[in-house]
Amino acid sequence: MAKWLRIALVSTGTGAGLLILLLAGGVSYLKTPQAQRGIQQQINRALPGSVSWRRLDFSVLAGRIDIDDLLVAGPSGERLAGLARCRIDISWLSLLNGRIGVEEAIVEHPWADLAVDETGRLNLMRAFPALAPGELSEEASAGPPIDLAITLFRLTDGTVSYRDPKAGLTVTLEGISAGAEALLLSKPAGRLRLGIGRGAVESPVFTGPVEALQVTAHLDADRLSPLDLRVAAGNTDIRLTGIIDRLGADPVMDLTLDADLALAEIRHLLQLTPELTGNAALHLSAKGPLADPEARVNLEYDGGLLGGVPVGRIALGLHLSDRKLRIDPLSVESPFGLSDATGEIDLVKAFPEGFLSSDRVLNAIGYRLSVRQKGLLLEQAFSRDAAYAGRLDADITLEGQGVTPGEILARCRVALVGTGILSPGMDRPADVAAAFRGGIEGSDTVVEALTVDAGGARLSGRGRYERA
């Protein structure tokens, strides 16, 4: 019995040793240039394009894969994408639990030169076999979702260019970095980071540099907390921070946006025709469900040209709560005087189920606005050749509902006071006072009362006018 046991043990040990030697020999052979050329040839026979690398090294025991100088080329040999180095460390123990575990994945100097043709097809896709319509979705639904866990992912110094000649769009991004920690694909969850060092965009609506873009976020299923986004271009700097919860059907947020805006740069970037100069500071805070949030906006403009019109200063305050937007206040200083506006816009009936619902009636928007103009100097509002002079003060109130012509129901009051008014044809300045009370009822304009007092004379009238 002992003899047969020794024979069995020796045979088992010898077989195991031979198996290990065979595996070691096979792995060693696969690392040789001859074997790797054979692997590349087998892969490329199945591809319209080609995939190549300078070095492919792997360790079965350590679970490590190293690839150097990976290149993806198109059918005509054009270079489409690649990377300088990639290393992946796989956890074999996680496979026992039915999960693909990656302890560490490092990608260095990746790049891609992307473009779309006239049909909208991406050039990188031409390097691989085309999928039949619906094939990708069928394969995705054929089995259980992939349970992938990545302990650490790091991408450094990436470069991407993208061209769409039909849309006139060219994008170049450099210095791209990305990272992830404790990433779970099935949940999903993880700490995420993305950065772009520099770049440029050319398009019919936006042309200019991207000097910095940084995003960090902690994803936990349907919750981003905290989120930190920063975009910089020239003297324009935008930062968004906060939390977004319930990313699905009914998102809830607690966000803060702070922006320093250089209007001349924005005009150039967006290729706007009106002249814009000066700087503005914007602060926005929003909290609650996206369908019905509470939000506050504060805007300060330090003066310049808006549409070619000189403006000394603008201060704007907005408060949105329960689908009611309060203007408190809007103040504009300009060579034409000081303008102040307050009021409220009622959106409750217009969006009865919230802003995200398709159930909306825009003509149910209600509004109550008050505008006061002080010190409008006519000699500055018109050219000197027009020979206008004097000062105007005005009070205007507007209250009503509806925005579409023919559906508006509104009431308006206007009070004008002119001091030392002089216009072409007048021998001497005169003081003028005018008052209007009326409104719009569907297609009718109603003048309930109109009075004008000037130089001791009074003009009054009333009426109703139907628009065709």
Side-chain angles (χ1 to χ4, degrees):
M1 183 65 181
K3 177 180 178 182
W4 289 108
L5 181 59
R6 285 196 301 272
I7 293 174
L9 291 174
V10 170
S11 300
T12 301
T14 302
L18 290 173
L19 181 59
I20 292 173
L21 290 175
L22 287 173
L23 289 174
V27 170
S28 299
Y29 173 74
L30 290 176
K31 294 181 180 181
T32 64
Q34 179 182 358
Q36 295 196 14
R37 283 195 299 269
I39 294 173
Q40 293 182 24
Q41 291 173 359
Q42 291 296 324
I43 293 174
N44 293 332
R45 286 194 183 100
L47 301 178
S50 64
V51 176
S52 61
W53 56 83
R54 182 179 61 83
R55 184 180 75 95
L56 172 62
D57 192 12
F58 52 89
S59 171
V60 176
L61 295 178
R64 172 172 293 181
I65 301 174
D66 284 285
I67 303 175
D68 292 343
D69 297 331
L70 177 68
L71 174 65
V72 178
S76 301
E78 65 274 22
R79 296 163 56 92
L80 300 178
L83 53 85
R85 178 172 177 263
C86 175
R87 189 186 77 194
I88 302 175
D89 290 327
I90 300 173
S91 171
W92 295 120
L93 293 177
S94 63
L95 291 176
L96 300 177
N97 298 321
R99 170 180 293 173
I100 301 175
V102 176
E103 295 292 337
E104 187 177 44
I106 298 175
V107 179
E108 298 178 357
H109 308 296
W111 62 271
D113 188 5
L114 307 177
V116 295
D117 58 21
E118 296 180 353
T119 65
R121 187 180 182 189
L122 192 65
N123 59 349
L124 185 60
M125 295 296 98
R126 295 185 179 277
F128 302 96
L131 295 175
E135 183 176 346
L136 184 61
S137 59
E138 291 177 2
E139 290 182 357
S141 60
I146 298 175
D147 191 0
L148 174 64
I150 300 177
T151 304
L152 177 64
F153 169 77
R154 186 170 72 248
L155 182 149
T156 59
D157 198 19
T159 301
V160 173
S161 64
Y162 176 83
R163 301 183 307 280
D164 186 347
K166 187 176 180 179
L169 175 63
T170 301
V171 179
T172 302
L173 302 177
E174 300 176 351
I176 300 174
S177 63
E181 298 179 13
L183 181 63
L184 293 176
L185 186 62
S186 58
K187 190 174 181 179
R191 294 183 293 276
L192 311 174
R193 175 183 55 82
L194 172 66
I196 296 175
R198 57 197 174 277
V201 178
E202 294 183 13
S203 74
V205 297
F206 180 94
T207 298
V210 177
E211 296 185 358
L213 187 151
Q214 298 175 352
V215 184
T216 60
H218 186 184
L219 176 64
D220 186 3
D222 61 350
R223 178 182 175 89
L224 276 176
S225 170
L227 169 68
D228 192 335
L229 167 66
R230 179 176 176 264
V231 180
N235 292 319
T236 295
D237 196 301
I238 302 173
R239 184 168 185 179
L240 176 69
T241 60
I243 297 170
I244 303 178
D245 203 357
R246 299 204 321 241
L247 291 170
D250 187 18
V252 176
M253 58 185 172
D254 187 355
L255 298 174
T256 299
L257 174 70
D258 288 289
D260 294 320
L261 307 172
L263 299 192
E265 294 177 352
I266 293 175
R267 174 178 179 257
H268 173 71
L269 294 176
L270 300 181
Q271 303 184 39
L272 302 176
T273 301
E275 188 172 3
L276 299 174
T277 64
N279 299 310
L282 173 68
H283 175 80
L284 182 150
S285 61
K287 188 173 184 179
L290 188 59
D292 189 8
E294 179 176 2
R296 293 182 182 272
V297 175
N298 290 292
L299 174 67
E300 293 285 344
Y301 174 59
D302 62 7
L305 295 176
L306 294 180
V309 178
V311 176
R313 186 183 71 88
I314 294 178
L316 171 64
L318 299 174
H319 181 204
L320 175 66
S321 180
D322 297 324
R323 282 166 286 156
K324 292 183 179 180
L325 179 64
R326 190 172 73 246
I327 304 171
D328 187 24
L330 168 60
S331 178
V332 180
E333 296 180 9
S334 73
F336 308 121
L338 175 63
S339 302
D340 289 304
T342 59
E344 184 178 85
I345 300 175
D346 191 341
L347 304 171
V348 175
K349 295 180 180 179
F351 299 90
E353 301 298 328
F355 294 121
L356 299 184
S357 173
S358 59
D359 182 11
R360 58 190 64 179
V361 185
L362 297 184
N363 277 314
I365 295 177
Y367 37 85
R368 187 176 66 257
L369 305 173
S370 176
V371 180
R372 173 170 292 182
Q373 171 69 42
K374 294 181 179 179
L376 173 58
L377 302 179
L378 299 184
E379 53 266 39
Q380 295 184 8
F382 297 92
S383 65
R384 294 185 178 181
D385 296 337
Y388 285 96
R391 167 180 170 142
L392 276 180
D393 296 310
D395 284 299
I396 303 172
T397 60
L398 176 66
E399 184 173 357
Q401 178 177 297
V403 294
T404 304
E407 301 290 336
I408 298 175
L409 182 63
R411 284 289 177 267
C412 178
R413 290 177 178 267
V414 180
L416 293 174
V417 176
T419 305
I421 301 300
L422 184 65
S423 65
M426 294 179 63
D427 296 332
R428 61 181 184 274
D431 293 340
V432 179
F436 168 85
R437 186 176 76 251
I440 298 176
E441 298 176 359
S443 59
D444 294 346
T445 300
V446 180
V447 180
E448 298 175 355
L450 171 64
T451 60
V452 180
D453 294 300
R458 164 168 284 199
L459 173 68
S460 62
R462 58 183 299 175
R464 189 180 191 94
Y465 307 93
E466 184 176 353
R467 297 192 305 274

